Amino acid sequence: MTFHLWGSERNDLVEPGRTIVEHLAPERASTLLADLVRIRSQNSIDAEVAVAEYIAGFVDRLGLEVEVEEVSPGRPNVIARLVGAGGPSLTFNSHMDTVPEGAGWTRGPFDGSIVDRRLYGRGAVDAKGSLAAILAAIEAFVLSGVRLGGDVSVSAVVDEEAGSAGARALTKHFVPDFAIVGEPTSLEVVVAHRGSLRPVIVVHGRTAHSSVPSAGENAIYRALPVIEALRSYALELNGEHPLCGSPSGAVTVIGAGVGENVIPDRCEIIFDRRMIPGEVEELVREEIEAVLAKVRSAHPEVRVAVERHLPTTGPSSEMDPSSEFVRTVQQAVVAAGGPGTLAGMTGACDMTHFRAAGVATVALGPGDPLRAHEPDENIDVDELHRGAIAYAYCALAICGEAS
Ligand SMILES: [Zn+2]
């Protein structure tokens, strides 16, 4: 086990590392995860308040400084600090909301049952597994008596699965030196992720009785060249990021019609555009406007415009993979028995808000990202434990031990 302490190459973290792991029971993170899975926090169905109360109570009992920030009614972020001795500060950030339960489960989505050393439940992977591993690591720090050089904090936020209201509010006033965003990465170190932009494009027509279609303008028919143009635009997107792949676009929702005997006067098209690091959101908005302008000039009868943009997690972001911070995290993960390899994410994540605030950030967590948002979402409890050790080693390596 070799640690590279921030700013030096000392290897004297072996002993405190061992002491901390001695206070981290192999089943601890899975016990906490089962508790978290049993507290429902499906985005747009349940608020996160009960999860926030659980976390705030847990860290308060450990003696951390706890702050609760209400982002909107019933939706609080929790920030808890283990105060260090003035060295570099690190936050472990993750989100408390999950996607809705959905259909197709063969086990109870809110039972937290363990079968063949896998824990099942909505959020087990995304991202309550990371939250549980973070809490287990913090508890082991406190119990071990090892004192860190810098502040280490837990920042648990609301609303990552929709508009990232929690991380947006948090990073306005909370700017640590380093952040590790707990998302399922199979313990790979994610340094880049794609972002998303979701315009709602509206095509207008004129309503009429459907027995006389020619008396109106059918907005669904008017939408056809718009849909075709968006399809061509998506097919022609190019660019390649070494870890995140290519940009993409897709029409994902179409809404029109008020009755089976009425010519529709309005057709709404939602376009889901995924941006790779390097693509600028403002320029992508302009690209989409240009697509619509081309349709209007080829088909003057089509009245089409971007009406609004749906909230998303945010734009893409990336972190220099050769930075000392990234290499330190990689080494800490390897020391914990994880892969620690560099990776990119095709989806979006709250890392973007920390990067925008100037915080050096990676995403790292236990759990297979392909199982996120699926029925029978589940996580390997041994990987969960390795995740907790990896987080503890990261904090020790980044914040250092107080002398
Ligand atoms: Zn997530």
Side-chain angles (χ1 to χ4, degrees):
M1 182 162 69
T2 302
F3 286 109
H4 290 257
L5 179 62
W6 181 258
S8 82
E9 298 253 322
R10 284 157 55 197
N11 293 336
D12 57 356
L13 296 175
V14 173
E15 203 42 54
R18 192 175 296 138
T19 310
I20 291 160
V21 172
E22 273 167 15
H23 289 86
L24 220 175
E27 309 303 324
R28 186 57 178 147
S30 53
T31 304
L32 297 174
L33 177 55
D35 285 352
L36 290 169
V37 162
R38 288 179 194 128
I39 308 171
R40 298 172 192 227
S41 55
Q42 305 162 93
N43 199 313
S44 77
I45 299 171
D46 319 298
E48 296 90 343
V49 64
V51 179
E53 280 166 1
Y54 178 93
I55 292 172
F58 183 88
V59 288
D60 184 54
R61 284 191 295 280
L62 290 174
L64 274 68
E65 283 179 3
V66 186
E67 189 188 323
V68 174
E69 168 191 37
E70 186 127 85
V71 177
S72 59
R75 306 192 74 181
N77 288 339
V78 179
I79 306 137
R81 284 186 191 80
L82 188 56
V83 178
S89 56
L90 166 71
T91 194
F92 290 108
N93 170 269
S94 193
H95 60 93
M96 297 181 283
D97 59 320
T98 69
V99 293
E101 145 191 9
W105 288 76
T106 65
R107 301 180 201 281
F110 303 105
D111 292 351
S113 56
I114 298 177
V115 182
D116 295 332
R117 300 204 59 73
R118 303 194 74 91
L119 193 153
Y120 288 78
R122 177 52 82 223
V125 167
D126 186 10
K128 289 178 172 175
S130 292
L131 273 177
I134 291 166
L135 296 180
I138 293 288
E139 181 182 56
F141 263 108
V142 172
L143 297 177
S144 72
V146 171
R147 187 143 180 261
L148 288 171
D151 288 5
V152 64
S153 57
V154 179
S155 48
V157 295
V158 299
D159 193 44
E160 192 272 346
E161 297 292 0
S164 276
R168 287 175 202 272
L170 178 76
T171 51
K172 283 204 175 89
H173 62 89
F174 179 70
V175 187
D177 298 316
F178 303 99
I180 293 178
V181 172
E183 284 285 349
T185 69
S186 299
L187 295 178
E188 291 194 298
V189 180
V190 166
V191 291
H193 65 88
R194 299 203 301 175
S196 45
L197 186 70
R198 300 204 181 102
V200 178
I201 296 161
V202 177
V203 182
H204 296 278
R206 198 174 65 247
T207 193
H209 195 289
S210 61
S211 62
V212 195
S214 59
E217 278 175 54
N218 192 320
I220 293 176
Y221 298 159
R222 292 281 197 252
L224 292 174
V226 179
I227 295 165
E228 192 49 58
L230 289 168
R231 192 169 81 105
S232 303
Y233 164 66
L235 286 171
E236 286 159 15
L237 285 173
N238 51 41
E240 182 78 24
H241 184 276
L243 294 171
C244 295
S246 311
S248 65
V251 170
T252 50
V253 179
I254 289 185
V258 293
E260 72 276 19
N261 55 357
V262 181
I263 297 296
D265 67 343
R266 182 184 161 89
C267 181
E268 256 191 33
I269 302 162
I270 298 178
F271 189 65
D272 184 8
R273 173 71 161 83
R274 301 299 175 117
M275 300 166 287
I276 58 173
E279 286 193 292
V280 179
E281 192 173 291
E282 211 35 58
L283 298 180
V284 172
R285 285 175 194 246
E286 285 173 18
E287 282 175 18
I288 293 165
E289 288 294 347
V291 170
L292 302 186
K294 232 169 113 183
V295 173
R296 283 190 292 260
S297 72
H299 305 271
E301 75 284 7
V302 174
R303 288 178 288 142
V304 59
V306 173
E307 192 184 73
R308 64 188 192 279
H309 285 87
L310 296 177
T312 69
T313 303
S316 61
S317 73
E318 70 182 322
M319 179 71 211
D320 176 5
S322 65
S323 69
E324 192 164 6
F325 167 60
V326 171
R327 285 189 285 119
T328 302
V329 170
Q330 288 186 279
Q331 286 160 3
V333 174
V334 170
T341 34
L342 291 177
M345 229 185 235
T346 54
C349 98
D350 274 343
M351 174 173 155
T352 190
H353 304 293
F354 285 94
R355 295 290 299 128
V359 181
T361 309
V362 295
L364 167 74
D368 179 351
L370 295 176
R371 300 205 189 241
H373 303 198
E374 293 267 298
D376 285 343
E377 179 175 348
N378 68 83
I379 191 165
D380 179 333
V381 297
D382 298 308
E383 185 182 334
L384 190 63
H385 179 55
R386 283 195 294 281
I389 299 174
Y391 287 145
Y393 286 175
C394 283
L396 196 53
I398 291 160
C399 302
E401 195 191 4
S403 47

